[in-house]
Amino acid sequence: MKTSIALFQMSSVLGDFEGNKNKILSFCLSHKDCDIVVTPELSLCGYPPEDLIFHKSFILSCFETAQQLVESSKEFPNIHLLVGLPVQEGEKIFNEAFLIKNGQLLGRYKKRNLPNYGVFDERRYFTAGKNSEPLVFDVKGTRFGVNICEDIWHAEAPELAKKAGSEVLLILNASPFEKYKRQQRIECVEKNVCAQGMDAVYVNACGAQDEIIFDGFSFTRTKDGKGREMSGFEAASMLAEAEHGELLEASSFEISQGIADLYSGLVLSFKSYIENNSFKGVVLGLSGGIDSALVLKIAVGADKVEAVMMPSQFTSDMSKTDAAELASRLGVKYSVISVEPMYMAFENALKEEFKGYGRDLTEENLQARIRAVILMAISNKKGLMLASTGNKSEMAVGYSTLYGDLAGGFSVIKDVYKTEVYAICHWINKVSPNPVFPENILTRAPSAELRENQKDQDSLPDYPTLDAVLKLYLEEKKSLQEIMQQGFDEETAKKIIRMVKRAEYKRRQGPIGPKMTGMAFGRDWRYPITNKFEE
């Protein structure tokens, strides 16, 4: 007989036990004829709970909600439901999966492998379930095993499930988005699950939690390399079938990753942050440059979006025209507030204090900080979140003003290099029915426009060079000598590395933003500010 399996790629909200439970109940009630429903890792509480785990009331409330779910499962007696939650036993806390059916808790599985790298810090919170028995259960003649996320990145837990009789492994996941991560997941399943003679059902979370994006892309995989993949960056579901110990899959799929995934991840993270933190809308400074243009495009879709152009004497007519045109194309409220009167007032107030000093970065930073004050005032008055518009290239080398353009509640392109910002914007114009970004925004030389005829390249290497060196240094951890061996000039590489180190104090005080790469500033990057180490 065929066993029907529903993959529920859900978006859990951290700490919203009742809301998460109701999502699961609603799904099960609408899939009463299914034999198995699989939800993501810690689906009942949200992931990652971090130090909320240390609050006994958090774990107790989640467990009580799980008990309610067990009782409610009588309403869909046919379904074997797998749901994730933290469970405390004495002083130990485990990351578990409950197997629920028709008002009963049939089994429990404790996560065996706890990741403690990158964004993960699970050994701080959980005890590894190394001494627990595998969970394997029979449905209509097929034996199903259970693993949780990190378990299948190693051979041990799948092997134990196989030895216990598992034929199809059901895997609950909260695997964060990174570029090229989709392919890595499939390769991992093939290596550690399918190669041991099991088919796999991989159910991933979808949504965002602060800096972490869960992209979904749940999938099935058979021993002969076939299966199906779900859509990404949205809550979704898919049905699979098993018979005689195997998944009934006749198709195969290829992974296509690139700009589309990158953009979808940014939109999902921004939307989730706004909605889950109950902001009324968004305000941002629109400069006429490409970074703020992309952030505005990402922000469109929030209940309320306001863009503010704040020109000074150094703002070009092109910037004013392009900003107004972009706001018009995107249909957002657009305001113009000149910083010139405030700037002159500050200069006059500081005239005596600055006597004998020439003009320098102080005057440039002053303009940026005035703009931040204006935007924060609008944010406070109207209850709108200020969206920061800095990219990873600028964050890396400190090409930003502390308490100026670094101000904001969420920095959505914080982990996107400048060259990628251009690539995303070009792609958006290409796939849109009508161009979104005015041509000048895509082609003009980048400039902060804080002094006469200023260009970014006055202070920085060209962005293709800068981004290439940054990727080698930040993400691949290459030394100066190794970077030079890749063909980069010594002085240029040294300058970039010095700038990265010098800017650490700024990054510590900047807003959070979504993790898009394997080395994002924030969760992944933990370098001391006071640091005499030289390459």
Side-chain angles (χ1 to χ4, degrees):
M1 296 177 65
K2 293 180 180 178
T3 305
S4 57
I5 309 156
L7 290 70
F8 184 22
Q9 181 175 288
M10 67 178 286
S11 174
S12 300
V13 178
L14 186 58
D16 185 8
F17 310 123
E18 187 70 14
N20 298 333
K21 180 195 72 173
N22 289 337
K23 289 179 183 178
I24 296 169
L25 284 176
S26 178
F27 183 84
C28 290
L29 288 169
S30 63
H31 292 76
K32 282 186 174 183
D33 293 333
C34 283
D35 296 302
I36 300 174
V37 170
V38 186
T39 68
E41 178 181 10
L42 295 185
S43 53
L44 202 54
C45 69
Y47 187 90
E50 298 186 301
D51 281 13
L52 288 174
I53 283 289
F54 296 138
H55 292 260
K56 291 185 178 180
S57 58
F58 180 88
I59 296 178
L60 179 60
S61 295
C62 190
F63 188 79
E64 289 173 347
T65 306
Q67 291 177 313
Q68 296 167 18
L69 189 57
V70 172
E71 182 64 25
S72 298
S73 67
K74 294 176 181 178
E75 300 178 46
F76 36 87
N78 186 57
I79 292 176
H80 297 73
L81 170 63
L82 280 168
V83 62
L85 68 156
V87 179
Q88 185 155 8
E89 296 180 2
E91 295 300 314
K92 297 178 179 179
I93 303 171
F94 297 94
N95 181 338
E96 295 200 20
F98 276 16
L99 177 63
I100 298 167
K101 184 177 187 289
N102 193 20
Q104 291 185 299
L105 177 58
L106 296 184
R108 293 164 57 177
Y109 175 80
K110 294 179 171 65
K111 187 175 182 179
R112 298 182 65 87
N113 294 287
L114 303 178
N116 224 61
Y117 54 86
V119 302
F120 303 107
D121 199 10
E122 288 202 18
R123 293 177 195 169
R124 174 178 170 87
Y125 307 109
F126 298 112
T127 297
K130 295 289 187 181
N131 298 321
S132 61
E133 293 296 319
L135 174 59
V136 177
F137 60 101
D138 185 285
V139 182
K140 294 181 179 178
T142 296
R143 301 281 287 167
F144 294 90
V146 178
N147 273 188
I148 299 176
C149 207
E150 184 73 13
D151 287 340
I152 58 96
W153 290 81
H154 311 270
E156 176 200 24
E159 182 180 357
L160 289 171
K162 176 65 176 175
K163 287 180 178 179
S166 173
E167 297 168 311
V168 177
L169 193 62
L170 307 174
I171 311 158
L172 292 72
N173 299 273
S175 177
F177 170 79
E178 289 177 17
K179 290 182 289 185
Y180 314 116
K181 188 74 169 287
R182 287 164 64 190
Q183 185 64 47
Q184 293 172 18
R185 293 174 188 143
I186 291 170
E187 290 172 354
C188 179
V189 165
E190 289 177 336
K191 175 184 176 183
N192 293 325
V193 180
C194 298
Q196 299 201 46
M198 290 182 289
D199 292 346
V201 174
Y202 185 105
V203 180
N204 194 26
C206 186
Q209 172 59 39
D210 295 342
E211 299 133 299
I212 302 175
I213 301 168
F214 300 105
D215 53 327
F217 289 114
S218 303
F219 62 90
T220 59
R221 203 69 171 173
T222 63
K223 295 179 288 294
D224 58 356
K226 294 181 179 180
R228 287 182 290 156
E229 185 186 47
M230 292 172 62
S231 58
F233 305 106
E234 61 180 356
S237 64
M238 183 173 78
L239 295 178
E241 289 184 318
E243 189 175 29
H244 305 308
E246 295 183 338
L247 290 177
L248 302 178
E249 301 286 358
S251 59
S252 59
F253 62 90
E254 295 182 0
I255 299 298
S256 175
Q257 301 177 107
I259 295 297
D261 279 3
L262 195 59
Y263 177 68
S264 296
L266 294 171
V267 172
L268 175 62
S269 70
F270 195 88
K271 181 174 183 289
S272 296
Y273 193 80
I274 296 296
E275 291 180 354
N276 293 343
N277 289 287
S278 303
F279 287 107
K280 296 178 182 177
V282 180
V283 62
L284 60 85
L286 193 61
S287 67
I290 198 161
D291 295 319
S292 61
L294 177 56
V295 174
L296 182 61
K297 177 67 173 73
I298 292 167
V300 169
D303 289 342
K304 186 177 183 182
V305 181
E306 295 191 13
V308 185
M309 158 59 82
M310 296 165 286
S312 73
Q313 60 177 307
F314 305 114
T315 305
S316 67
D317 291 339
M318 183 187 297
S319 293
K320 298 173 188 176
T321 300
D322 290 340
E325 176 61 23
L326 177 63
S328 175
R329 292 183 187 184
L330 293 175
V332 302
K333 180 180 178 183
Y334 178 69
S335 305
V336 178
I337 303 174
S338 173
V339 301
E340 199 62 30
M342 288 165 271
Y343 178 66
M344 296 303 294
F346 270 104
E347 279 213 320
N348 186 59
L350 292 165
K351 184 167 54 178
E352 288 301 314
E353 185 71 23
F354 288 175
K355 186 177 290 184
Y357 293 89
R359 298 182 70 85
D360 54 23
L361 281 174
T362 306
E363 285 72 22
E364 295 182 31
N365 290 339
L366 185 55
Q367 296 169 64
R369 289 177 177 135
I370 290 170
R371 290 182 172 119
V373 169
I374 293 171
L375 291 170
M376 281 307 305
I378 295 171
S379 170
N380 292 161
K381 184 64 70 175
K382 299 184 178 182
L384 305 176
M385 187 199 76
L386 173 56
S388 179
T389 60
N391 62 62
K392 186 170 188 174
S393 307
E394 295 170 350
M395 292 288 291
V397 297
Y399 195 67
S400 55
T401 302
L402 196 58
Y403 321 123
D405 53 300
L406 269 181
F410 195 69
S411 182
V412 70
I413 60 171
K414 178 180 180 179
D415 199 27
V416 181
Y417 293 101
K418 185 79 167 189
T419 49
E420 292 175 326
V421 171
Y422 277 102
I424 294 171
C425 290
H426 278 286
W427 174 81
I428 290 171
N429 266 12
K430 181 179 179 181
V431 301
S432 300
N434 298 300
V436 172
F437 304 105
E439 187 64 21
N440 289 331
I441 290 178
L442 300 177
T443 58
R444 66 184 297 198
S447 171
E449 293 192 324
L450 296 172
R451 64 173 184 268
E452 202 70 47
N453 299 316
Q454 185 181 28
K455 298 289 184 293
D456 287 5
Q457 260 59 73
D458 298 340
S459 306
L460 302 174
D462 64 89
Y463 280 113
T465 299
L466 175 62
D467 288 355
V469 172
L470 287 174
K471 288 176 183 178
L472 290 170
Y473 183 67
L474 301 177
E475 297 180 27
E476 299 184 30
K477 295 292 186 289
K478 299 294 186 184
S479 67
L480 173 62
Q481 292 301 317
E482 290 172 317
I483 293 171
M484 290 166 54
Q485 288 170 8
Q486 300 261 356
F488 293 98
D489 173 71
E490 180 177 5
E491 283 308 308
T492 300
K494 277 185 176 179
K495 177 182 179 181
I496 292 170
I497 292 171
R498 282 197 303 269
M499 294 174 82
V500 169
K501 292 180 176 180
R502 194 167 60 230
E504 184 62 33
Y505 78 101
K506 289 187 181 182
R507 290 191 292 270
R508 291 285 186 94
Q509 299 178 72
I512 67 166
K515 170 183 168 62
M516 310 301 291
T517 68
M519 182 50 66
F521 291 126
R523 286 179 175 269
D524 295 325
W525 181 266
R526 304 177 189 181
Y527 276 68
I529 296 173
T530 305
N531 175 12
K532 296 291 187 181
F533 174 70
E534 296 291 339
E535 295 292 328

